[in-house]
Amino acid sequence: MLIKLSGGTVYDPANGIDGRVMDLFIRDQHLVEPPADNEPIDQHYPLEGKVVMAGAIDLHTHIGGGKVNIARTLLPEQQPAYSRPRAGRMRSGSGGIAPSTHATGYRYAEMGYTTCFEPALLPVNARQAHMEMADTPLLDTGGYALLGNDEFLLQLIAEGAEQQTINDYVAWTLRASQCIGVKVVNPGGISAFKFNQRALDVDDVHPHYPISPRDILRTLSRALHQLGVPHPLHVHASNLGVPGNYLSTLATMDAAEGLPIHLTHIQFHSYGTEGDRKFSSCAAQIAEAVNRQANISIDVGQIMFGQTVTVSGDTMRQYANHGHAHPRKWLCMDIECEAGCGVVPFRYRDRNFVNALQWAIGLELFLLVDDPWRVFLTTDHPNGAPFTSYPHLIRLLMDRSFRNDMLARIHPDAGASSHLASLDREYSLNEIAIMTRAAPARLLGMTDYGHLAPGAVADLVVYHREGNPEQMFERPMLVFKRGEVVAREGAICASVNGSTHVVRPEYDQGIETRLAEWFARYHSMSLRNFGISDDEMADGIGSPVVIHPCASTSHP
Amino acid sequence: MSPFVPQRLASMRPRQIAAITLHQGNRTLPAGELFDVTGSPGGRIVIQSDSELLDNIGMGMADGELMVEGQAGGYLGRGMSGGFLQVAGATGIFAGSAMSGGRILIEGNAGDLLGGAAAGERQGMRGGFLHVRGSAGDRAGDRQRRGIIVVEGNAGDYAASRMVAGTLIILGQAGHQCGLDMRRGSLILNSKPKSLPATFNVSGGHQLTFLTLLNQYLESHSAPWAFPGNSRIRRWVGDLACDGRGEILIQA
Amino acid sequence: MIINGVEIEDTFAEAFGMSATRLIITAINERWARIAGETMTGFATSVIGCGVEGGIESILNEADTPDGRPGVSVLLFGMSGSVLGKQLEARAGQCVLTCPTTALFSGMTDGEPLPLGKNLRYFGDGYQISKQLGDQRYWRIPVMDGEFLCQEHTTRKPAVGGGNFLVLAATQAQALTACEQAIAAIARLPGVITPFPGGIVRSGSKVGSKYKALMASTNEAYCPTLRGLVRTQLSQDTGAVLEIVINGIAEEEVGWAMRTGIQAVCELGSAQGIQRISAGNYGGKLGRYHFHLRKLLA
């Protein structure tokens, strides 16, 4: 099957193409060089005046794992509130803020997203999380294994284990849980919470293990770097949501000691204590630190006004915020002594000072970080807002007058205490393509994704060029998944199953001896049953793995 | 069946009503294919059907009268805020769920979760008067918040489960574990239930003035009393597992 | 005008606009309902010193009360809704809530709402139970003899206070007997009460005093012992004067009660020492309502 896409305006920042009119060719599942003149074209799409980009990649969205299911269970009334009837080849789905797997896959694909990453995949829950993501149609998926509050790692660091041992454990975890990266949530804080600690700043010492969050950050970022894992340590920093937490965030950046580090939903970590209400924006300080340190990348975790549900492994902070639950029901739990889980429904209100300022802080961060290769478009779905609000967010970034109209509607004191009105920057289509395609693929080491050069996987999106970016990104004209048209004019027309993206750093299998003892003594399953094989991924779970290369291992 | 409420149909002609689409299984089809629609505009609707599949009859009803000459399905009068809804036969689950006002009279039996809370809701019935001449299924008055339910026949297990407040009266035999997780509210029984949770304590025999007022209210709604207002009743308090300010009143 | 030898003076009673509420107190028997009602209205003769004026309007039998027990109907009058509300809360809390076996209900349905159980419920310290029956809410407040049942709200509406007449007689005993007759007749009427002790006041007052601190002082023109010293309104043979003050929900009811009372006095006539019927007023400048004696009796 040979497909020709002719005359579209292509934005492919990975290959330096910024709005060039050119033809693209797809053979089977990949983009290819132009074929010989005499070869017949099977399908031809004339795309004059249309915009062509690679399929979008969301590197931080909670779409799998136990906590999403808990959110669905906690808020059953949200399911009938948004229902999606069976239509054509699409199965039914429901849920607006924590949609069912099918509704999630369809809506993402309708918006031109082709790959999504679950950022908090607990290794002990990996099997269920991969099954859930395999049930999310049309999307390639992947997960970041949660480490940094598991007793095994804390014990290793506390007893002063060699970095090599840590590296082996990290690599083994990636292999066993079939993940592409490692995330740490409130380093050590979730564990400390279980020792009745209610806060743990970067240099505070854990109440049981004589280590600080800084030790955990340093050890894990170094492990990933030495293992050659492309995606840097994905950090949900300490003190989420606490006024004045920008200092913890700066300390977290510092803890990486110059090694690559990704700070996620940084909007929730950029708060100061200025002003009458002791709550202010420190977006400028954070953006300045990001601009200055090239080893740091961030995603924003923008909030949008309306009902949503916050799901997080950060039991410590979710417990602290449970009083704000709306509707008034919430849940915090421990998961097998490896991490936590907190689900607190929340309604962000534009007439509320704090919520309004959170909204402004997120946008300030987008606009103040200069390099679009290091800032990513997320709402930390569903924590800041459901992913369905992305087109609206893109318009806020691309359209200054629209942004100022929205700013005029929020709590006036919040508007007044934000610099947002003075920020003139408008994102270009090329910059949007960077932050939603090229940059995530590069940061995750997915060499064949997020760009449109010959050899790349043919995940691509064709948009109508509309005056209003929200409409443009809400309803693409065509969405190709691995060379097949899956959505047309914002409606699904075919359903394909995705793959799971992983990395495989090498490690010394000797670590399994010690792990086997640990499992036998403390775990709810045996080491033998813990890991997920490639065959199980492909046949049992139904999502075959795509292995991305690691950099050559460098030992200190 | 939710479109068929007086406030929506009051000014519509039969032909317009016949064009309203209804869901049947995974199909949608116009009401005219399922029903013969006759009559003239007004505030009174009569549904003649003996199907137990007609869900959501009187859903969101705000005024007027709705008579079902036959049976009804689940969710009868759900979210109803006013008017009078009468069913000649039996109904399915969740009759009167989320109801906040008005009056429902069910001549036959009612299914489980009479006046109960649907999944995710923190309150069941929130007001109005719900009267069942027959028996009710399990968990009648689940999470009820306000309003009065009268069941003339028997009730299944877990009557008044998770009740927040309000009054549930059972004249026949009540099943096991009445009042489980009840926080506040009154469950009034004519006779001893099959069992009570261990987390209820007896608070002795009393005569309660308010029962006279309740009887007058029931009389004015053509419902029978549980027992005379000056009767001596045995009062149980609980569920002590959650708040414990509820009461079960049983004629001594 | 002379009735049965009694002169009806050509003057008028001057009455004021007030705010009133009606309550129904029930109890295990009439005795205890009456005790609660009397206690609640015991110190309620005049707004000048008591905040409100009140009294028992009628005794109710089982068929006429909300809970089917014997009861009394009480009327309370205040110069404003807020004073009335404050006094009602204090009196309901101290005199009815405390009284064995009672329950307290609203006796009116129209007018502005006035909190009753809405505030008293807090006595229940969290153990109070609310019951909504139709559009009425009731509170069940646990107390040591069982439950105090109390309606959430009563209502208040504009009313008339200060309808009055004076009975001038040859002796103190004759004046009192005549007034007792009048009170017995007025007690049977609906919508009115006579707030003073036994319905009768002997210390008629005028506005102002030689002492700056006093708003009102004795009405010397009607004091028999001051005859010869001040400009008196009494003839030489008048031995005593007593006054009946009437408050009511409606102007007509107050007028009717005055007429009924005066007629009862006149029935005794000059034969029993009754000389004259007069009325108190302030020249017509202060009160909204004027009851002309001769018009009432015409």
Side-chain angles (χ1 to χ4, degrees):
Chain A
M1 170 77 96
L2 184 64
I3 301 171
K4 179 180 182 182
L5 309 174
S6 63
T9 309
V10 175
Y11 290 86
D12 184 14
N15 297 305
I17 296 169
D18 176 4
R20 191 192 308 160
V21 175
M22 56 191 282
D23 296 345
L24 297 173
F25 296 90
I26 300 171
R27 191 188 297 281
D28 300 329
Q29 300 191 358
H30 291 84
L31 288 149
V32 291
E33 300 283 356
D37 288 345
N38 55 358
E39 188 175 343
I41 304 288
D42 297 306
Q43 282 176 12
H44 178 219
Y45 293 92
L47 300 178
E48 282 71 20
K50 308 300 177 193
V51 173
V52 183
M53 293 185 187
I57 300 171
D58 193 343
L59 94 172
H60 190 110
T61 172
H62 296 277
I63 54 167
K67 64 202 170 308
V68 189
N69 262 343
I70 290 168
R72 292 175 186 131
T73 314
L74 188 68
L75 300 166
E77 72 276 15
Q78 289 291 334
Q79 299 299 322
Y82 305 85
S83 67
R84 192 180 176 110
R86 183 188 68 96
R89 295 176 181 207
M90 268 196 300
R91 289 166 63 180
S92 60
S94 59
I97 57 179
S100 66
T101 52
H102 280 84
T104 303
Y106 294 143
R107 185 68 200 122
Y108 257 122
E110 284 169 357
M111 295 185 343
Y113 275 79
T114 52
T115 310
C116 289
F117 289 90
E118 161 58 48
L121 193 151
L122 196 55
V124 71
N125 278 350
R127 191 169 269 108
Q128 187 273 340
H130 282 305
M131 285 176 172
E132 201 174 336
M133 291 194 283
D135 198 41
T136 305
L138 295 162
L139 296 181
D140 281 5
T141 56
Y144 311 145
L146 267 189
L147 288 176
N149 283 290
D150 51 316
E151 305 298 315
F152 189 80
L153 180 74
L154 297 182
Q155 202 165 315
L156 281 183
I157 299 176
E159 69 185 32
E162 285 181 20
Q163 183 71 37
Q164 185 58 47
T165 311
I166 307 275
N167 295 358
D168 290 341
Y169 173 59
V170 171
W172 171 85
T173 303
L174 285 169
R175 176 71 187 81
S177 62
Q178 299 279 17
C179 280
I180 195 170
V182 170
K183 183 189 186 196
V184 58
V185 172
N186 188 356
I190 304 172
S191 168
F193 179 76
K194 293 179 240 177
F195 292 91
N196 284 327
Q197 195 92 349
R198 293 295 175 262
L200 192 72
D201 207 348
V202 179
D203 288 306
D204 291 347
V205 176
H206 187 286
H208 180 70
Y209 302 105
I211 55 174
S212 66
R214 185 182 291 273
D215 298 323
I216 299 169
L217 290 164
R218 185 183 56 239
T219 310
L220 280 175
S221 57
R222 189 174 295 174
L224 290 168
H225 178 68
Q226 292 182 358
L227 289 167
V229 173
H231 190 54
L233 182 62
H234 198 94
V235 181
H236 159 140
S238 310
N239 283 332
L240 178 138
V242 179
N245 64 7
Y246 79 105
L247 291 170
S248 312
T249 311
L250 295 175
T252 302
M253 295 177 181
D254 185 50
E257 298 181 347
L259 295 178
I261 186 169
H262 178 87
L263 278 84
T264 190
H265 43 69
I266 200 160
Q267 178 273 126
F268 291 106
H269 302 272
S270 305
Y271 303 152
T273 52
E274 303 291 314
D276 295 342
R277 294 180 173 85
K278 304 286 174 222
F279 182 77
S280 59
S281 166
C282 283
Q285 289 91 321
I286 296 294
E288 191 275 329
V290 174
N291 288 336
R292 181 162 42 80
Q293 304 174 73
N295 61 316
I296 294 169
S297 58
I298 61 168
D299 65 80
V300 170
Q302 177 67 30
I303 70 140
M304 294 289 179
F305 304 117
Q307 176 71 49
T308 192
V309 55
T310 65
V311 299
S312 175
D314 193 345
T315 329
M316 183 185 264
R317 295 305 313 154
Q318 291 291 78
Y319 178 76
N321 288 327
H322 76 260
H324 299 295
H326 177 97
R328 222 176 55 208
K329 44 187 178 181
W330 60 278
L331 167 152
C332 279
M333 63 188 285
D334 172 63
I335 300 176
E336 308 240 354
C337 286
E338 290 215 337
C341 169
V343 178
V344 182
F346 196 85
R347 189 161 61 102
Y348 294 103
R349 294 181 297 128
D350 55 2
R351 308 304 294 177
N352 172 295
F353 173 80
V354 171
N355 297 164
L357 194 56
Q358 287 179 301
W359 176 86
I361 290 170
L363 293 175
E364 285 175 5
L365 286 161
F366 273 118
L367 299 170
L368 288 169
V369 172
D370 298 332
D371 183 0
W373 288 91
R374 293 195 286 126
V375 56
F376 299 91
L377 187 136
T378 68
T379 58
D380 191 18
H381 164 79
N383 290 318
F387 67 83
T388 47
S389 59
Y390 286 170
H392 179 81
L393 176 54
I394 291 173
R395 183 171 183 202
L396 287 171
L397 299 178
M398 293 185 69
D399 183 343
R400 174 165 176 259
S401 64
F402 176 68
R403 185 163 72 225
N404 287 339
D405 289 349
M406 293 292 122
L407 182 62
R409 288 193 204 169
I410 66 170
H411 191 289
D413 292 354
S417 66
S418 159
H419 302 300
L420 193 55
S422 65
L423 298 174
D424 295 340
R425 182 171 172 193
E426 291 184 335
Y427 270 76
S428 66
L429 274 180
N430 195 50
E431 285 175 319
I432 296 292
I434 292 171
M435 75 195 307
T436 58
R437 277 95 172 150
R442 181 186 286 182
L443 194 72
L444 288 155
M446 299 163 65
T447 43
D448 295 338
Y449 292 80
H451 70 93
L452 298 172
V457 172
D459 289 354
L460 59 87
V461 192
V462 181
Y463 296 101
H464 296 290
R465 193 186 277 280
E466 309 260 4
N468 175 346
E470 184 169 348
Q471 288 169 357
M472 171 171 169
F473 285 95
E474 196 142 41
R475 286 173 67 98
M477 176 187 167
L478 292 168
V479 180
F480 289 82
K481 179 70 190 164
R482 284 201 301 269
E484 188 178 342
V485 177
V486 294
R488 217 182 270 273
E489 303 295 353
I492 303 298
C493 54
S495 191
V496 299
N497 289 333
S499 324
T500 299
H501 294 259
V502 302
V503 291
R504 286 285 158 78
E506 288 181 19
Y507 63 97
D508 180 351
Q509 297 194 348
I511 188 75
E512 289 182 11
T513 313
R514 180 164 177 176
L515 277 165
E517 284 169 30
W518 177 269
F519 268 70
R521 175 109 194 255
Y522 298 113
H523 235 289
S524 58
M525 63 172 100
S526 81
L527 183 65
R528 207 153 45 86
N529 294 333
F530 188 83
I532 308 170
S533 72
D534 292 353
D535 286 347
E536 186 182 353
M537 286 298 295
D539 303 332
I541 291 171
S543 183
V545 295
V546 176
I547 302 169
H548 295 285
C550 290
S552 56
T553 312
S554 62
H555 287 293
Chain B
M1 293 296 286
S2 54
F4 294 95
V5 285
Q7 74 263 28
R8 278 192 66 182
L9 301 194
S11 58
M12 290 172 82
R13 302 189 171 285
R15 199 199 296 172
Q16 295 169 298
I17 294 171
I20 294 174
T21 53
L22 297 175
H23 291 278
Q24 188 196 31
N26 58 8
R27 297 187 299 153
T28 53
L29 66 180
E33 285 191 24
L34 294 169
F35 298 97
D36 295 325
V37 184
T38 58
S40 53
R44 186 168 189 273
I45 300 173
V46 177
I47 297 174
Q48 291 173 319
S49 158
D50 215 31
S51 167
E52 56 179 39
L53 301 176
L54 300 182
D55 289 345
N56 298 335
I57 291 179
M59 185 173 180
M61 176 170 167
D63 53 25
E65 283 186 24
L66 207 167
M67 306 287 150
V68 181
E69 296 180 354
Q71 302 187 64
Y75 302 93
L76 175 89
R78 178 167 157 79
M80 173 173 176
S81 59
F84 177 47
L85 171 50
Q86 184 173 2
V87 181
T91 70
I93 56 172
F94 283 108
S97 152
M99 164 181 188
S100 61
R103 183 175 153 214
I104 298 180
L105 174 59
I106 298 165
E107 302 278 358
N109 295 335
D112 291 342
L113 290 147
L114 175 72
E121 288 178 347
R122 291 177 308 144
Q123 293 180 356
M125 179 179 181
R126 291 191 278 278
F129 185 65
L130 178 48
H131 181 182
V132 178
R133 287 253 159 83
S135 294
D138 292 341
R139 297 179 70 166
D142 178 60
R143 286 201 164 179
Q144 182 181 349
R145 170 71 179 77
R146 201 181 287 126
I148 296 173
I149 304 178
V150 177
V151 178
E152 292 192 33
N154 303 329
D157 297 337
Y158 308 111
S161 60
R162 309 191 291 175
M163 180 183 260
V164 182
T167 306
L168 169 59
I169 302 167
I170 297 166
L171 274 59
Q173 173 68 51
H176 288 290
Q177 300 290 307
C178 285
L180 189 73
D181 286 357
M182 186 174 181
R183 289 178 54 207
R184 288 180 282 129
S186 308
L187 171 60
I188 299 177
L189 304 175
N190 214 355
S191 57
K192 280 186 184 166
K194 288 181 186 162
S195 68
L196 286 180
T199 42
F200 271 77
N201 277 350
V202 69
S203 95
H206 304 276
Q207 273 175 289
L208 297 175
T209 319
F210 107 91
L211 288 173
T212 314
L213 297 183
L214 181 63
N215 285 348
Q216 285 172 11
Y217 179 82
L218 295 173
E219 220 166 52
S220 70
H221 286 73
S222 23
W225 309 350
F227 34 77
N230 58 4
S231 314
R232 206 161 170 79
I233 48 92
R234 202 164 168 77
R235 184 170 189 261
W236 294 76
V237 292
D239 184 335
L240 297 165
C242 39
D243 214 6
R245 286 185 291 157
E247 61 179 358
I248 298 179
L249 307 179
I250 307 171
Q251 190 171 24
Chain C
M1 182 186 259
I2 295 171
I3 300 174
N4 203 11
V6 180
E7 184 197 348
I8 309 297
E9 203 180 309
D10 185 12
T11 185
F12 63 95
E14 187 171 348
F16 299 87
M18 296 184 90
S19 190
T21 183
R22 179 189 281 120
L23 305 160
I24 294 174
I25 303 172
T26 65
I28 192 164
N29 54 32
E30 185 189 314
R31 175 174 137 78
W32 282 101
R34 195 192 280 271
I35 287 173
E38 283 169 353
T39 312
M40 187 183 203
T41 58
F43 174 62
T45 56
S46 163
V47 289
I48 294 172
C50 309
V52 288
E53 300 173 4
I56 292 179
E57 180 192 19
S58 58
I59 306 297
L60 303 173
N61 62 32
E62 289 87 337
D64 297 329
T65 60
D67 64 356
R69 300 192 301 167
V72 297
S73 159
V74 167
L75 293 177
L76 286 180
F77 295 79
M79 291 309 288
S80 70
S82 65
V83 172
L84 181 64
K86 215 171 277 177
Q87 284 284 331
L88 173 60
E89 184 178 333
R91 288 164 188 266
Q94 298 305 311
C95 309
V96 186
L97 167 68
T98 54
C99 181
T101 77
T102 58
L104 181 58
F105 304 96
S106 168
M108 299 201 302
T109 49
D110 51 339
E112 299 284 306
L114 202 58
L116 203 59
K118 189 180 183 203
N119 295 332
L120 293 181
R121 66 173 155 153
Y122 294 110
F123 183 73
D125 199 23
Y127 298 106
Q128 68 271 26
I129 295 172
S130 154
K131 281 292 160 202
Q132 178 123 15
L133 298 172
D135 54 0
Q136 292 299 325
R137 179 191 287 268
Y138 300 89
W139 287 96
R140 298 164 54 194
I141 301 165
V143 285
M144 295 197 303
D145 76 344
E147 279 182 344
F148 172 52
L149 183 65
C150 185
Q151 199 162 343
E152 163 114 323
H153 284 110
T154 178
T155 58
R156 65 177 163 86
K157 60 181 183 183
V160 181
N164 68 80
F165 59 91
L166 301 170
V167 176
L168 290 73
T171 67
Q172 195 187 57
Q174 286 168 331
L176 186 62
T177 304
C179 285
E180 284 172 349
Q181 292 267 65
I183 291 298
I186 293 169
R188 288 193 284 272
L189 300 179
V192 292
I193 51 132
T194 48
F196 282 95
I200 307 165
V201 52
R202 62 106 174 257
S203 59
S205 62
K206 67 175 185 292
V207 178
S209 160
K210 70 183 279 193
Y211 304 108
K212 276 182 187 159
L214 290 185
M215 288 162 61
S217 59
T218 193
N219 195 355
E220 67 264 21
Y222 288 88
C223 292
T225 56
L226 296 180
R227 197 162 30 207
L229 185 62
V230 298
R231 263 182 71 153
T232 189
Q233 293 284 338
L234 307 180
S235 55
Q236 280 301 320
D237 54 353
T238 301
V241 182
L242 289 173
E243 181 179 359
I244 290 176
V245 175
I246 300 163
N247 290 359
I249 302 287
E251 186 179 0
E252 303 75 51
E253 290 172 339
V254 173
W256 187 254
M258 282 175 67
R259 176 190 150 100
T260 308
I262 293 169
Q263 282 176 337
V265 172
C266 291
E267 254 171 51
L268 296 171
S270 53
Q272 300 293 326
I274 310 302
Q275 298 166 341
R276 182 151 58 100
I277 303 293
S278 184
N281 63 54
Y282 308 92
K285 294 188 289 274
L286 294 179
R288 267 171 64 191
Y289 304 97
H290 299 166
F291 297 96
H292 290 271
L293 298 182
R294 291 186 176 178
K295 272 190 209 163
L296 285 176
L297 292 158

